[in-house]
């Protein structure tokens, strides 16, 4: 059973997911196509988040509908959400290694890595 996130975490999570939908729609579509059971998706946007996953609105050959990206473990912080998104990207990339990198993957690759705690 999904648990509603505390207001502060819900707000932060929707800010992160809103950024992805707005600035990286190709990334949301990539995740929807490879992880949500809707490989026919031609468009996807985030509509909700709870402790167990993210709900998407999707469009595709099968018509409009909803899909879900499930977390590997329940989240309770925005940092955990961000880790889950990175994990989803890795899983989707493993399924589709020959597809072009998404805008978020490009952005992540161009960031300098820093040691933990800095």
């Amino acid at each position: 059973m999904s648990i509603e996130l505390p207001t502060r975490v819900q707000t932060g999570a929707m800010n992160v997911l809103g950024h992805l939908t707005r600035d990286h729609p190709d990334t949301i579509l990539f995740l929807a196509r490879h992880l949500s059971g809707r490989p026919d998706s031609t468009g996807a946007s985030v509509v909700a988040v709870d402790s167990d996953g993210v709900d998407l609105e999707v469009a595709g050959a099968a018509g409009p509908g909803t899909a879900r990206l499930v977390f590997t473990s329940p989240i309770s912080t925005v940092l955990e959400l961000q880790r889950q998104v990175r994990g989803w990207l890795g899983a989707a990339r493993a399924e589709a290694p020959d597809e072009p990198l998404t805008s978020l993957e490009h952005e992540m690759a161009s960031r300098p890595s820093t040691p933990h705690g800095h």
Side-chain angles (χ1 to χ4, degrees):
M1 183 168 114
S2 298
I3 298 170
E4 190 172 314
L5 296 168
T7 302
R8 179 181 52 78
V9 176
Q10 177 78 21
T11 300
M14 285 307 293
N15 285 340
V16 168
L17 295 167
H19 163 77
L20 290 177
T21 296
R22 204 174 39 256
D23 297 344
H24 303 288
D26 62 313
T27 302
I28 298 296
L29 179 58
F30 182 70
L31 295 175
R33 289 178 52 227
H34 296 288
L35 300 180
S36 76
R38 289 289 305 257
D40 68 316
S41 295
T42 57
S45 61
V46 173
V47 293
V49 61
D50 59 45
S51 63
D52 293 322
V54 172
D55 293 327
L56 305 173
E57 284 184 356
V58 294
T66 58
R68 184 146 172 96
L69 298 171
V70 179
F71 297 137
T72 55
S73 60
I75 66 158
S76 59
T77 69
V78 173
L79 182 58
E80 290 171 348
L81 167 70
Q82 292 169 322
R83 287 182 182 140
Q84 291 283 341
V85 170
R86 283 192 293 277
W88 285 338
L89 271 173
R93 181 54 53 203
E95 284 195 15
D98 298 328
E99 286 192 28
L101 292 180
T102 67
S103 60
L104 182 58
E105 289 173 305
H106 278 291
E107 186 177 292
M108 291 168 58
S110 68
R111 290 183 192 152
S113 46
T114 58
H116 293 285
H118 289 82

